Amino acid sequence: MFTLDYEEVLSRIRSYNPRRILIQAPEGFSDYALKLADLIRDNFDCRVYVSADPCFGACMLPYDAARKLSIDLIIHMGHAVIPNMNSNRVLYIEMRSDVDLKKAVAKVIDILEGYRRIGLVTIVQHIDRLYEAKEVLEEYGKIVYIGKPRLRAIYDGQILGCDTTAAEDIAGNVDAFLYIGGGLFHPLGVALATGKPTFAVDPFTLQVTDLGNVKRRFLARRYASIVKAMDAKVFGIILGLQPGQMFLDIVEEIESILRRYGKTVYILPIHIFDPDILSSFRSIDVFVNTACPRLALEDSFRIDRPVLNPNEVLVALGVKKWDELFRDT
Amino acid sequence: MFTLDYEEVLSRIRSYNPRRILIQAPEGFSDYALKLADLIRDNFDCRVYVSADPCFGACMLPYDAARKLSIDLIIHMGHAVIPNMNSNRVLYIEMRSDVDLKKAVAKVIDILEGYRRIGLVTIVQHIDRLYEAKEVLEEYGKIVYIGKPRLRAIYDGQILGCDTTAAEDIAGNVDAFLYIGGGLFHPLGVALATGKPTFAVDPFTLQVTDLGNVKRRFLARRYASIVKAMDAKVFGIILGLQPGQMFLDIVEEIESILRRYGKTVYILPIHIFDPDILSSFRSIDVFVNTACPRLALEDSFRIDRPVLNPNEVLVALGVKKWDELFRDT
């Protein structure tokens, strides 16, 4: 399902001359991590560990584990480097899907009728084949735009859960967006950030989704959370401790605004988002998530109280307007 | 439900003259942690954080978070210090339940008929009232023994999930054990380690449990896991990274034994036990838990493959006998 040139990977590892390696991969690539561990042991005189801690992105680098195990090379499989987090202690091995995107495009082409100019976005696993998808769309008479990311993604057309700038870049030029990839969180981000009609097609299952409906339900939920937060007195600000999720400045800004509005505020540092633990803080009315944006958006339904992102807190306080938050709502 | 002399706690904190404090508490004490944060802010010019990461014991001290947040004092609420983990950067605030243990004893006394010499054990929350319970038992004509722990617990009669030596200490003298406290994991440990009839009474719910049945079911499950592991080829050894759960020597010993038996072995470091992530390693047949012993015993049913503790691996390999593992089985 995923291809990897192991010879090339071994040669990249060799250039680090490592003695102690820690391999990290998201759940979907766990067995690829074991296979790589085998190859490393067969080829180098090296101690290899395979992390079994959660990994949802290149923002969760296992520096704590690496320090405790005296690791001299972290191999992070599956995600592309996040530019401002680059480190010479980390070797990024992106994984590429071998699935043909042409079928996915053929499957979604009917629903794209009525939209001429299409913005094309995907995740890193499919990035190599995005231009094939572009060609097929063009054969169907579409004008296709692929934008440049400017925050945490690095490839043209690549989006992350926390970076849809490759879509925003071209939003003014297009009538609709097409996301090719799994999950609905990434294209929902595109729909929210651009306000444009957005469609998703999963190249494995060939399932097609109009994000319009997803977005309406999502916004209703967000709105309900914000309304609940309007009367709240006690706020718990979640402070991410993962390498790429620790935004102390945002925490302190939101904290001081909340205090100015007479709220009681607690700062809750976390490495891992655990809804049960957050729920156990009974005296907190509203959680503010400053770590990974997905926490508030995807996991918040697992907590019985609102989990807002910082901008949503500003709406709850009346500092910002709802319309400033989400376009075309 | 729990009492805490906050004036005394504040005076203990004052002696550290801290600037940046991180409070950590197990889930059950989350709101006590918030209350302490309020008091600290009201009384000191201090930055306070309240950890929302998992905390199941004094072995999970938040040193990683403390380093990232430049903390100069960790306040660990709820558990007693583990002697070999003591640190002058950590202030332990044990919590004491205000529940009367006499009622619990009265409730369990019938089931103790036929046992004259009783070993009494509890968890730290009830330790102050253990001698009241002893007196009530003596009024009923029992001879009561309270043993001395020698590993990680510090009070006479105190047991931990990883330390039942306060029971083992007196096992030769008693006919049965009485555990006063919540949960069945602690008294199950006593029943397994001593081979003696063991009874538990929860002082809050007054529920009484004969651990004999729990132990039989438990042993059947453990035996099934060990049998499954006998034919296994691929082992994943879980290496705990929490301060008091990192047993590298045990990992390396088990690893070398497994290799000697021709097994494929991977070392899987974890901070957090996540059954989904472990399950995602499809090519692993058996997990070996060297971190917190509870992981293999309590959480292993959430994984579709055996999770064995090191001794159980030795039984699976035929190095040890089942009878050496659990007494009186």
Side-chain angles (χ1 to χ4, degrees):
Chain A
M1 205 148 114
F2 290 90
T3 56
L4 198 52
D5 181 343
Y6 284 103
E7 279 309 310
E8 193 223 322
V9 168
L10 287 179
S11 116
R12 286 173 69 196
I13 294 171
R14 189 170 291 116
S15 73
Y16 285 88
N17 193 27
R19 310 300 298 176
R20 300 174 65 80
I21 290 179
L22 174 61
I23 305 177
Q24 180 192 41
E27 269 176 60
F29 297 139
S30 291
D31 283 319
Y32 291 90
L34 297 184
K35 183 172 178 196
L36 183 57
D38 290 338
L39 286 173
I40 291 172
R41 280 199 294 237
D42 291 347
N43 285 276
F44 305 115
D45 179 22
C46 215
R47 188 96 179 114
V48 190
Y49 300 92
V50 179
S51 172
D53 271 331
C55 169
F56 302 116
C59 53
M60 296 179 78
L61 291 170
Y63 289 132
D64 291 332
R67 199 185 48 257
K68 289 166 191 173
L69 297 168
S70 307
I71 295 300
D72 52 15
L73 178 64
I74 292 168
I75 299 179
H76 181 98
M77 301 181 82
H79 302 109
V81 61
I82 295 174
N84 69 349
M85 288 188 60
N86 208 355
S87 155
N88 55 14
R89 293 170 53 198
V90 184
L91 172 59
Y92 294 87
I93 299 183
E94 299 171 8
M95 305 286 285
R96 291 289 188 268
S97 158
D98 56 7
V99 71
D100 185 355
L101 301 190
K102 291 175 191 164
K103 276 187 190 166
V105 173
K107 185 82 188 179
V108 80
I109 201 71
D110 282 351
I111 207 173
L112 290 179
E113 208 187 321
Y115 305 103
R116 181 104 198 277
R117 302 170 304 160
I118 305 293
L120 198 51
V121 289
T122 189
I123 45 178
V124 68
Q125 284 81 4
H126 305 296
I127 206 78
D128 284 351
R129 289 170 166 262
L130 196 62
Y131 282 86
E132 291 173 21
K134 178 173 186 278
E135 281 172 25
V136 182
L137 279 166
E138 286 168 347
E139 282 166 21
Y140 284 105
K142 306 295 184 189
I143 303 169
V144 180
Y145 292 82
I146 295 178
K148 284 191 186 305
R150 61 166 198 277
L151 287 178
R152 296 182 139 205
I154 56 170
Y155 294 107
D156 289 359
Q158 182 204 354
I159 57 173
L160 300 175
C162 56
D163 182 10
T164 55
T165 51
E168 295 161 50
D169 181 44
I170 50 171
N173 305 107
V174 308
D175 305 316
F177 278 98
L178 173 60
Y179 163 80
I180 306 182
L184 294 180
F185 180 75
H186 286 78
L188 176 61
V190 171
L192 290 169
T194 67
K196 295 279 178 177
T198 302
F199 305 92
V201 58
D202 185 317
F204 295 109
T205 65
L206 297 179
Q207 198 181 333
V208 176
T209 308
D210 178 346
L211 271 296
N213 304 321
V214 179
K215 180 172 149 180
R216 268 184 293 280
R217 281 195 305 272
F218 173 83
L219 288 174
R221 272 215 330 254
R222 301 313 301 156
Y223 191 69
S225 287
I226 291 172
V227 167
K228 270 195 223 165
M230 286 175 175
D231 300 323
K233 295 268 183 297
V234 184
F235 288 70
I237 304 180
I238 298 166
L239 162 59
L241 295 173
Q242 295 286 351
Q245 296 183 6
M246 189 171 169
F247 301 110
L248 265 173
D249 48 344
I250 296 175
V251 168
E252 283 165 14
E253 193 190 333
I254 290 291
E255 180 188 16
S256 89
I257 293 171
L258 283 167
R259 290 250 162 85
R260 217 180 304 145
Y261 277 77
K263 309 299 186 186
T264 301
V265 184
Y266 301 99
I267 312 294
L268 309 174
I270 62 164
H271 284 94
I272 298 301
F273 181 84
D274 187 319
D276 292 336
I277 294 175
L278 291 174
S279 297
S280 75
F281 291 98
R282 299 305 318 164
S283 38
I284 290 180
D285 301 320
V286 172
F287 295 97
V288 184
N289 165 49
T290 67
C292 168
R294 286 182 89 131
L295 300 187
L297 307 184
E298 279 201 314
D299 296 328
S300 63
F301 66 91
R302 293 159 65 202
I303 306 183
D304 57 356
R305 276 153 283 165
V307 182
L308 302 186
N309 279 336
N311 273 325
E312 296 171 324
V313 175
L314 300 181
V315 175
L317 293 175
V319 178
K320 271 200 174 181
K321 287 208 171 68
W322 170 262
D323 300 346
E324 294 174 63
L325 205 57
F326 300 110
R327 293 203 202 168
D328 188 26
T329 57
Chain B
M1 204 148 111
F2 289 91
T3 57
L4 199 52
D5 180 344
Y6 283 104
E7 278 310 310
E8 193 224 322
V9 168
L10 287 178
S11 119
R12 288 173 69 195
I13 294 171
R14 189 171 290 115
S15 72
Y16 285 88
N17 193 26
R19 311 299 300 174
R20 299 174 67 79
I21 290 178
L22 174 62
I23 304 177
Q24 180 191 41
E27 268 176 60
F29 298 139
S30 291
D31 283 319
Y32 291 90
L34 296 184
K35 184 173 176 196
L36 181 58
D38 291 338
L39 285 174
I40 291 172
R41 278 199 295 237
D42 290 348
N43 284 276
F44 306 115
D45 178 23
C46 216
R47 188 96 179 117
V48 190
Y49 300 92
V50 179
S51 171
D53 270 332
C55 169
F56 302 116
C59 53
M60 296 179 77
L61 291 170
Y63 289 133
D64 292 331
R67 199 185 47 258
K68 290 167 190 170
L69 297 169
S70 306
I71 296 300
D72 52 16
L73 178 64
I74 292 169
I75 299 179
H76 180 98
M77 302 180 82
H79 302 109
V81 61
I82 295 174
N84 68 350
M85 288 188 62
N86 208 354
S87 156
N88 55 12
R89 294 170 54 197
V90 184
L91 172 59
Y92 294 87
I93 300 183
E94 299 171 9
M95 306 287 285
R96 290 288 187 267
S97 157
D98 57 7
V99 72
D100 185 355
L101 300 191
K102 291 174 192 164
K103 276 188 191 164
V105 174
K107 184 83 186 177
V108 80
I109 200 71
D110 283 350
I111 208 173
L112 290 179
E113 207 186 322
Y115 304 104
R116 181 104 200 275
R117 301 172 303 158
I118 305 293
L120 198 52
V121 290
T122 189
I123 45 177
V124 69
Q125 284 81 7
H126 305 297
I127 205 78
D128 284 350
R129 289 171 165 259
L130 196 61
Y131 284 85
E132 291 173 22
K134 178 173 185 278
E135 282 171 24
V136 182
L137 279 167
E138 287 168 347
E139 284 165 20
Y140 283 105
K142 306 294 184 190
I143 303 170
V144 180
Y145 292 82
I146 294 179
K148 286 191 185 306
R150 61 165 198 277
L151 288 177
R152 296 183 141 205
I154 56 170
Y155 294 108
D156 289 359
Q158 181 204 353
I159 56 173
L160 300 175
C162 56
D163 181 12
T164 54
T165 51
E168 294 161 51
D169 181 42
I170 51 172
N173 305 107
V174 307
D175 305 315
F177 279 97
L178 174 61
Y179 162 80
I180 306 182
L184 294 181
F185 180 75
H186 287 77
L188 176 61
V190 171
L192 291 169
T194 67
K196 295 279 179 178
T198 302
F199 304 92
V201 57
D202 185 318
F204 295 110
T205 65
L206 297 181
Q207 199 181 332
V208 175
T209 307
D210 177 346
L211 270 297
N213 304 320
V214 179
K215 180 172 148 180
R216 269 185 292 278
R217 282 196 304 271
F218 173 82
L219 288 174
R221 274 218 327 255
R222 302 315 300 155
Y223 190 70
S225 287
I226 291 172
V227 168
K228 270 195 221 163
M230 286 176 176
D231 301 324
K233 295 269 183 297
V234 184
F235 287 71
I237 303 179
I238 298 167
L239 162 59
L241 296 173
Q242 295 286 351
Q245 296 184 4
M246 190 171 170
F247 302 109
L248 265 174
D249 48 345
I250 296 175
V251 168
E252 283 166 14
E253 192 190 334
I254 290 289
E255 180 188 16
S256 89
I257 293 171
L258 284 167
R259 290 251 163 84
R260 217 179 304 144
Y261 277 78
K263 309 299 187 186
T264 300
V265 184
Y266 301 99
I267 312 293
L268 310 174
I270 61 164
H271 285 92
I272 298 301
F273 181 83
D274 186 319
D276 291 337
I277 294 176
L278 291 174
S279 296
S280 74
F281 291 97
R282 299 305 318 164
S283 37
I284 290 179
D285 301 320
V286 172
F287 294 97
V288 184
N289 164 50
T290 69
C292 169
R294 287 181 89 130
L295 301 185
L297 307 184
E298 280 202 315
D299 296 330
S300 63
F301 66 92
R302 295 157 66 203
I303 305 184
D304 57 357
R305 275 154 284 166
V307 183
L308 303 186
N309 280 335
N311 273 325
E312 296 171 326
V313 175
L314 298 182
V315 174
L317 293 174
V319 178
K320 271 199 176 183
K321 290 209 169 69
W322 170 263
D323 300 346
E324 294 174 65
L325 206 58
F326 301 111
R327 292 200 203 171
D328 188 25
T329 55

